[in-house]
Amino acid sequence: MSEATPALVSTALSGYELLADPQLNKGTAFSEEERDAFHLHGLLPPHVSTLDEQISRALQSLRQFETDLERYAFLRELQDINETLFYATLVGNLEELLPIVYTPTVGAGCQQFSRLYHKPRGLFLSIPHQSRLDQIFAQPRFDAVEAIVVTDGERILGLGDQGAGGMGIPIGKLALYSGCGGLHPATTLPILLDVGTDNADCLADPLYVGWRHERVRGQAYDDFIEAFVCAVIRRWPKVLLQWEDFAKGNATRLLERYRDRLCTFNDDVQGTAAVATGTLLAAINVTGVPLTEQRVAVFGAGSAGCGIAGLIRTSMCDAGLSDSEAARRFFMIDRDGLLMDGMPGLAPFQTPFVQSRRAIEGWTLDHPDTIALLDVVRNARPTVLIGVSGQAGAFGEPVVRAMAACNPRPVIFPLSNPTSRAEATPADIEAWTDGRALVGVGSPFPPLPRDGTRFKVDQTNNSYIFPGVGLGVLAVGASRVTDGMFMAAAKALANASPASRNPKHNLLPPVSALREVAAKVALAVAMQAHREGAAPDVPVDEIQQRIRAKVWTPRYVPLTAQGTCPRHPRRVRRRMASVMRRPSRAS
């Protein structure tokens, strides 16, 4: 047993108040002794269920719904009622439930958030309440918090500004931290920074739950972010803070501003980069093209696209290329075409990847004023094509066929989420390349018929990376999250590739194995933290043990009555917090 799964929890709650606490509620699984101690007789049906019976009941109910959005709403309600049952159901059925809890269905959940909202989960921090952040954070129920996922709702997946509806993303991400990475739910906190919205539909919706104000920008926005970060550091000085779905103009600059002030990372920039790099490293085992000979076209030169390019470039340098040689192998395409030197309006994070105008002299172009994606593929002859643009269908038949014409085994990753925003479907890529392409997608797609069987499409999604990163960082108490840790995570993912043992197999392990993948990524990240001096007080021979001790398994824990006023829940919160704060060790 680990400290993350306490052997016994004492509580002063009873009756309806106990049943209303999602961390302690067991529903019909309360034992006869617990029903006696907590005055639950009559409030529950007489049958005492097992957790397995409850999971079976939940799955039967879930599968009766007609739409994934209905299934999403059902699971969100289950999470708010009984977290142990929710996570036990999720962990045992990851392949079926991940697309509902996370992408692609979470996108619709964000769009419909105001209509689905019933119970509070996490924190909504709005600019009018900026002066109250310390007071809000001070609630005892947050004593155990170790991991925060925060968004301002401006760039939700490929859907854009969803305002307060963006809260669905931190909730979904942290569900994966617990379901895949094993973090105890009591240690996680989703946060929505409500700085208004420019989504006219939200502002006009009478049911919209967010702050009805145009999106605040400029100095007032930066002051709010600064106040938020300072309040977080005061309340949780060792917390892991993940930035999520911030717009291009804010994502990278906020990461750079705060990455040395607390333990923080941006999943869109660094997590996406790690999963794309790890999958590419796995693909090299199949294509036989060395990393130093790869040419990479990235469609979507925002923070995610440049983050991917940056980590792959680092991999190339590790493999022997100079930085300038590696940089020349990237072709970044944005709304105005190929990024080139002298182009106006370039963001600082884009400038390392601009192509020299001299390098493209002699290219044959469809339109002389713009170098479009198809021009890049025909002239640069990339071996890898990655899409993070949010533009559905951007990898059309001419583009994909051009990739196939210059590569025996083209690597094509349409990574945009949700499914409706993918640059191409795996079925189309399969058809247009005669089955020769190595495909990775951001959201789940149906299997492809191949060699008389159904071949699962690799879901090149951040869920392979960030749960393990969080687990590894927290297990050793790392002071910072570094680029080296994400490189270690990418290599750990590549090493777990089934294709490394058989080139006919998938590039990535199955989604059902995400817990095992997270453990491997966590070990690689924790070891890298030790090497870099970010976890100096942890002996290397204790790292594996600390990771195991950090993993929470969703199962019911016996409850004992505290014998204090049942209307005073503070003591149980302190009890849970003290359990979560204990040093991670096997017991």
Side-chain angles (χ1 to χ4, degrees), residues 362-391:
W363 279 21
T364 302
L365 307 177
D366 285 344
H367 302 284
D369 297 332
T370 303
I371 302 178
L373 173 61
L374 183 56
D375 296 319
V376 171
V377 174
R378 286 172 174 168
N379 292 276
R381 299 171 64 85
T383 56
V384 182
L385 175 61
I386 299 172
V388 282
S389 67
Q391 297 183 27

Side-chain angles (χ1 to χ4, degrees), residues 459-584:
Q459 190 178 339
T460 308
N461 191 281
N462 299 22
S463 55
Y464 281 93
I465 294 293
F466 71 81
V469 170
L471 175 59
V473 165
L474 293 175
V476 297
S479 59
R480 296 289 182 268
V481 184
T482 67
D483 291 337
M485 296 179 196
F486 279 99
M487 180 62 73
K491 291 178 179 178
L493 179 60
N495 290 336
S497 168
S500 65
R501 296 176 292 277
N502 186 330
K504 292 185 178 181
H505 289 176
N506 284 84
L507 299 178
L508 297 177
V511 168
S512 58
L514 278 176
R515 271 218 158 194
E516 292 81 1
V517 172
K520 294 176 181 177
V521 169
L523 178 59
V525 168
M527 294 293 288
Q528 183 67 22
H530 185 273
R531 284 191 291 269
E532 295 184 16
D537 298 329
V538 180
V540 68
D541 58 357
E542 289 186 11
I543 289 177
Q544 183 73 269
Q545 182 184 18
R546 283 174 175 252
I547 291 171
R548 291 196 190 101
K550 196 70 179 174
V551 174
W552 170 73
T553 299
R555 61 169 181 79
Y556 291 130
V557 176
L559 301 182
T560 182
Q562 240 176 23
T564 57
C565 175
R567 295 187 177 277
H568 190 25
R570 179 172 295 186
R571 290 194 180 182
V572 68
R573 296 296 177 191
R574 287 176 176 170
R575 168 66 175 165
M576 294 295 289
S578 66
V579 168
M580 293 304 105
R581 283 199 301 264
R582 291 175 186 168
S584 296

Side-chain angles (χ1 to χ4, degrees), residues 393 395 400 414 419 422-432 439 441 445 448:
F395 295 173
V400 174
T419 310
E423 286 81 5
T425 67
D428 282 342
I429 296 173
E430 183 86 352
W432 298 334
V439 182
V441 290
F445 278 86
L448 299 171

Side-chain angles (χ1 to χ4, degrees), residues 190-356:
I191 293 181
L192 185 284
L193 300 179
D194 194 343
V195 296
T197 179
D198 290 335
N199 186 323
D201 292 337
C202 290
L203 294 174
D205 185 353
L207 299 181
Y208 180 60
V209 298
W211 183 39
R212 294 177 183 274
H213 194 282
E214 67 274 8
R215 186 168 285 275
V216 173
R217 303 186 185 278
Q219 191 61 48
Y221 175 90
D222 285 354
D223 290 345
F224 183 57
I225 298 295
E226 176 69 15
F228 163 71
V229 171
C230 290
V232 166
I233 294 173
R234 285 192 295 269
R235 180 65 164 98
W236 305 285
K238 296 182 179 180
V239 77
L240 172 65
L241 176 68
Q242 175 177 319
W243 306 89
E244 190 68 36
D245 285 358
F246 284 74
K248 180 175 73 173
N250 291 322
T252 301
R253 75 180 185 90
L254 292 179
L255 173 64
E256 293 303 320
R257 178 176 297 174
Y258 295 111
R259 66 186 306 167
D260 293 325
R261 288 178 54 182
L262 75 165
C263 190
T264 190
F265 72 96
N266 185 302
D267 190 49
D268 302 304
V269 178
Q270 295 159 290
T272 304
V275 72
T277 301
T279 311
L280 175 58
L281 293 175
I284 289 172
N285 293 322
V286 179
T287 66
V289 179
L291 190 59
T292 55
E293 296 180 16
Q294 299 287 339
R295 297 180 303 282
V296 183
V298 181
F299 187 67
S303 53
C306 290
I308 292 171
L311 198 62
I312 296 176
R313 184 182 67 179
T314 299
S315 298
M316 289 178 172
C317 293
D318 290 345
L321 292 182
S322 68
D323 191 65
S324 59
E325 289 172 332
R328 289 196 293 270
R329 292 184 167 274
F330 290 88
F331 302 86
M332 312 296 294
I333 304 99
D334 215 340
R335 68 184 63 186
D336 296 322
L338 178 68
L339 299 190
M340 295 179 291
D341 54 9
M343 183 178 285
L346 290 174
F349 61 82
Q350 294 175 318
T351 54
F353 302 102
V354 298
Q355 278 288 331
S356 165

Side-chain angles (χ1 to χ4, degrees), residues 132-165:
R132 301 182 181 181
L133 294 179
D134 289 323
Q135 175 187 351
I136 293 170
F137 287 168
Q139 296 183 49
R141 69 178 294 118
F142 304 133
D143 286 351
V145 167
E146 294 181 340
I148 292 172
V149 175
V150 62
T151 186
D152 70 354
E154 187 170 9
R155 193 207 64 88
I156 297 300
L157 302 174
L159 302 173
D161 189 346
Q162 298 299 314

